[in-house]
Amino acid sequence: MKTMTTLLTATASILIAVPANAAIYFVNQSVGSISVIGSISTNDTIGSLQTGDITDFSLKLTSAANTVTLNSANAFFVTGGEGLVASSEAVTFNFSNSANSFFYFFDGFANFVCGASGEQGGCTGVNNTLEATVDPTFVSIPKFGSYKFATAGAVPETATWGMMIAGFGMIGAAMRSRRRSTKVSFA
Protein backbone atom coordinates (compact mmCIF):
# COMPACT_ATOMS: atom_id res chain seq x y z
CA MET A 1 0.00 0.00 0.00
CA LYS A 2 2.87 2.35 0.74
CA THR A 3 4.09 1.87 -2.85
CA MET A 4 0.67 2.86 -4.23
CA THR A 5 0.54 5.99 -2.06
CA THR A 6 4.06 6.96 -3.15
CA LEU A 7 3.15 6.40 -6.80
CA LEU A 8 0.00 8.52 -6.53
CA THR A 9 1.87 11.30 -4.72
CA ALA A 10 4.60 11.31 -7.37
CA THR A 11 2.01 11.40 -10.17
CA ALA A 12 0.18 14.30 -8.52
CA SER A 13 3.47 16.20 -8.13
CA ILE A 14 4.29 15.78 -11.80
CA LEU A 15 0.83 16.89 -12.90
CA ILE A 16 0.96 19.95 -10.65
CA ALA A 17 4.26 20.97 -12.24
CA VAL A 18 2.82 20.93 -15.81
CA PRO A 19 2.42 24.57 -16.88
CA ALA A 20 -0.63 25.81 -18.71
CA ASN A 21 0.19 26.33 -22.37
CA ALA A 22 -2.95 28.06 -23.55
CA ALA A 23 -5.45 30.60 -22.33
CA ILE A 24 -9.03 30.61 -23.58
CA TYR A 25 -11.06 33.81 -23.75
CA PHE A 26 -14.75 34.05 -24.58
CA VAL A 27 -16.22 36.72 -26.85
CA ASN A 28 -19.81 37.92 -26.45
CA GLN A 29 -20.09 41.29 -28.19
CA SER A 30 -22.62 43.37 -30.05
CA VAL A 31 -21.23 45.60 -32.75
CA GLY A 32 -24.34 47.56 -33.57
CA SER A 33 -26.79 45.08 -35.12
CA ILE A 34 -24.13 42.35 -35.48
CA SER A 35 -23.47 39.89 -32.66
CA VAL A 36 -20.02 38.34 -32.28
CA ILE A 37 -19.93 35.20 -30.11
CA GLY A 38 -17.13 32.64 -29.76
CA SER A 39 -13.72 31.96 -28.31
CA ILE A 40 -10.09 32.98 -28.76
CA SER A 41 -7.14 30.86 -27.60
CA THR A 42 -3.72 32.35 -26.98
CA ASN A 43 -0.33 30.86 -26.19
CA ASP A 44 -0.77 32.16 -22.62
CA THR A 45 0.96 35.47 -23.35
CA ILE A 46 0.18 38.17 -20.79
CA GLY A 47 0.64 41.67 -22.17
CA SER A 48 0.63 42.90 -25.75
CA LEU A 49 -0.62 40.25 -28.18
CA GLN A 50 1.00 39.84 -31.57
CA THR A 51 -0.32 37.86 -34.54
CA GLY A 52 1.46 34.61 -33.54
CA ASP A 53 0.07 34.74 -29.98
CA ILE A 54 -3.46 33.80 -31.12
CA THR A 55 -3.32 30.02 -31.54
CA ASP A 56 -6.99 29.31 -32.32
CA PHE A 57 -10.28 31.15 -32.69
CA SER A 58 -13.91 30.58 -33.60
CA LEU A 59 -16.20 33.59 -33.89
CA LYS A 60 -19.84 33.42 -35.01
CA LEU A 61 -20.95 36.72 -36.59
CA THR A 62 -24.71 37.13 -36.90
CA SER A 63 -26.72 39.91 -38.54
CA ALA A 64 -30.41 40.02 -39.46
CA ALA A 65 -29.50 38.87 -42.98
CA ASN A 66 -26.75 36.27 -42.47
CA THR A 67 -24.60 34.20 -40.11
CA VAL A 68 -20.91 33.43 -40.70
CA THR A 69 -18.36 31.58 -38.56
CA LEU A 70 -14.76 32.76 -38.72
CA ASN A 71 -12.31 30.17 -37.39
CA SER A 72 -8.69 29.10 -37.75
CA ALA A 73 -9.57 26.86 -40.70
CA ASN A 74 -11.34 29.43 -42.90
CA ALA A 75 -10.08 32.84 -41.73
CA PHE A 76 -7.03 34.57 -40.34
CA PHE A 77 -6.12 36.90 -37.48
CA VAL A 78 -3.74 39.86 -37.77
CA THR A 79 -2.76 42.53 -35.27
CA GLY A 80 -0.32 45.42 -35.25
CA GLY A 81 0.92 47.87 -32.65
CA GLU A 82 0.56 47.42 -28.90
CA GLY A 83 -3.19 47.97 -28.50
CA LEU A 84 -4.42 44.37 -28.10
CA VAL A 85 -3.53 43.21 -24.57
CA ALA A 86 -4.20 39.96 -22.70
CA SER A 87 -4.41 39.66 -18.93
CA SER A 88 -5.47 36.75 -16.76
CA GLU A 89 -9.03 38.17 -16.81
CA ALA A 90 -9.59 39.54 -20.32
CA VAL A 91 -8.38 40.59 -23.75
CA THR A 92 -8.74 44.35 -24.16
CA PHE A 93 -8.07 46.77 -26.98
CA ASN A 94 -7.00 50.37 -26.41
CA PHE A 95 -8.82 52.54 -28.95
CA SER A 96 -6.97 55.62 -27.67
CA ASN A 97 -3.55 54.07 -28.34
CA SER A 98 -1.42 56.61 -30.17
CA ALA A 99 0.77 53.85 -31.64
CA ASN A 100 -1.71 53.15 -34.48
CA SER A 101 -2.81 49.70 -33.36
CA PHE A 102 -5.30 47.38 -35.01
CA PHE A 103 -6.63 43.83 -34.96
CA TYR A 104 -8.89 41.90 -37.29
CA PHE A 105 -10.39 38.49 -37.86
CA PHE A 106 -11.08 38.21 -41.60
CA ASP A 107 -12.22 35.45 -43.95
CA GLY A 108 -10.70 36.94 -47.12
CA PHE A 109 -14.12 37.75 -48.59
CA ALA A 110 -16.53 40.22 -46.99
CA ASN A 111 -16.84 39.03 -43.39
CA PHE A 112 -14.75 40.38 -40.53
CA VAL A 113 -14.58 41.91 -37.07
CA CYS A 114 -11.85 44.44 -36.31
CA GLY A 115 -10.70 47.36 -34.21
CA ALA A 116 -8.43 50.30 -35.08
CA SER A 117 -6.83 53.17 -33.18
CA GLY A 118 -4.58 56.08 -33.98
CA GLU A 119 -4.25 58.20 -37.06
CA GLN A 120 -3.56 55.50 -39.65
CA GLY A 121 -6.04 52.91 -38.41
CA GLY A 122 -6.77 49.52 -39.91
CA CYS A 123 -10.07 47.88 -40.80
CA THR A 124 -11.66 50.12 -43.45
CA GLY A 125 -9.30 52.98 -42.68
CA VAL A 126 -11.54 54.62 -40.08
CA ASN A 127 -9.77 55.58 -36.85
CA ASN A 128 -10.92 54.67 -33.33
CA THR A 129 -13.64 52.24 -34.42
CA LEU A 130 -14.91 48.76 -33.76
CA GLU A 131 -16.26 47.30 -36.99
CA ALA A 132 -18.00 44.12 -38.11
CA THR A 133 -19.31 42.88 -41.43
CA VAL A 134 -21.54 39.94 -42.22
CA ASP A 135 -22.11 40.42 -45.93
CA PRO A 136 -24.04 42.58 -46.79
CA THR A 137 -24.40 44.19 -43.31
CA PHE A 138 -21.61 46.56 -42.22
CA VAL A 139 -21.43 48.32 -38.84
CA SER A 140 -18.82 50.83 -37.63
CA ILE A 141 -18.97 52.15 -34.05
CA PRO A 142 -16.68 54.92 -32.71
CA LYS A 143 -14.72 53.77 -29.64
CA PHE A 144 -12.30 55.46 -27.25
CA GLY A 145 -10.31 54.17 -24.30
CA SER A 146 -9.74 50.58 -23.24
CA TYR A 147 -12.44 48.16 -24.40
CA LYS A 148 -12.90 44.59 -23.10
CA PHE A 149 -13.20 42.41 -26.22
CA ALA A 150 -13.10 38.95 -24.55
CA THR A 151 -13.16 37.56 -21.00
CA ALA A 152 -11.16 34.68 -19.55
CA GLY A 153 -12.93 31.36 -19.50
CA ALA A 154 -13.62 29.13 -16.55
CA VAL A 155 -12.10 26.11 -18.29
CA PRO A 156 -9.85 24.18 -15.89
CA GLU A 157 -6.17 24.05 -16.82
CA THR A 158 -4.39 20.75 -17.48
CA ALA A 159 -2.75 20.77 -14.05
CA THR A 160 -6.13 21.27 -12.38
CA TRP A 161 -7.60 18.24 -14.15
CA GLY A 162 -4.52 16.21 -13.19
CA MET A 163 -4.79 17.17 -9.51
CA MET A 164 -8.49 16.32 -9.49
CA ILE A 165 -7.94 12.87 -11.05
CA ALA A 166 -5.02 12.13 -8.73
CA GLY A 167 -7.14 13.19 -5.75
CA PHE A 168 -9.93 10.82 -6.72
CA GLY A 169 -7.34 8.07 -7.11
CA MET A 170 -5.94 8.74 -3.64
CA ILE A 171 -9.42 8.71 -2.09
CA GLY A 172 -10.18 5.40 -3.80
CA ALA A 173 -6.88 3.89 -2.68
CA ALA A 174 -7.44 5.03 0.92
CA MET A 175 -10.96 3.58 0.97
CA ARG A 176 -9.73 0.31 -0.49
CA SER A 177 -6.90 -0.07 2.04
CA ARG A 178 -9.22 0.80 4.92
CA ARG A 179 -11.66 -1.90 3.80
CA ARG A 180 -8.89 -4.53 3.58
CA SER A 181 -7.37 -3.82 6.98
CA THR A 182 -10.60 -3.93 8.97
CA LYS A 183 -10.83 -7.05 11.11
CA VAL A 184 -13.99 -8.17 12.75
CA SER A 185 -13.83 -10.31 15.88
CA PHE A 186 -16.66 -11.73 17.89
CA ALA A 187 -16.46 -12.38 21.62
Side-chain angles (χ1 to χ4, degrees), residues 4 8 164-174:
M4 181 134 182
L8 288 172
M164 192 168 62
I165 291 167
F168 287 136
M170 286 182 195
I171 291 169

Side-chain angles (χ1 to χ4, degrees), residues 70-134:
L70 305 178
N71 58 43
S72 309
N74 68 5
F76 56 90
F77 166 77
V78 178
T79 187
E82 304 291 321
L84 192 63
V85 176
S87 70
S88 59
E89 294 87 28
V91 172
T92 58
F93 185 76
N94 185 357
F95 285 96
S96 299
N97 186 341
S98 61
N100 300 322
S101 297
F102 65 91
F103 74 91
Y104 59 90
F105 297 89
F106 181 56
D107 70 356
F109 298 105
N111 305 295
F112 65 85
V113 60
C114 69
S117 72
E119 295 175 6
Q120 299 302 313
C123 303
T124 60
V126 180
N127 302 323
N128 301 319
T129 59
L130 180 63
E131 299 176 358
T133 296
V134 180

Side-chain angles (χ1 to χ4, degrees), residues 13-28:
S13 298
I14 290 169
L15 291 172
I16 291 169
V18 174
N21 57 2
I24 300 173
Y25 298 91
F26 294 97
V27 178
N28 187 357

Side-chain angles (χ1 to χ4, degrees), residues 39-41 54-59 69-77 104-106:
S39 64
I40 301 169
S41 297
I54 302 293
T55 58
D56 194 22
F57 62 90
S58 180
L59 301 173
T69 299
L70 305 178
N71 58 43
S72 309
N74 68 5
F76 56 90
F77 166 77
Y104 59 90
F105 297 89
F106 181 56

Side-chain angles (χ1 to χ4, degrees), residues 154-181:
V155 176
E157 296 177 2
T158 307
T160 304
W161 281 110
M163 285 189 297
M164 192 168 62
I165 291 167
F168 287 136
M170 286 182 195
I171 291 169
M175 290 174 63
R176 188 173 180 179
S177 74
R178 180 181 292 176
R179 195 175 354 165
R180 285 184 182 168
S181 64

Side-chain angles (χ1 to χ4, degrees), residues 183-187:
K183 293 183 180 183
V184 178
S185 61
F186 297 98

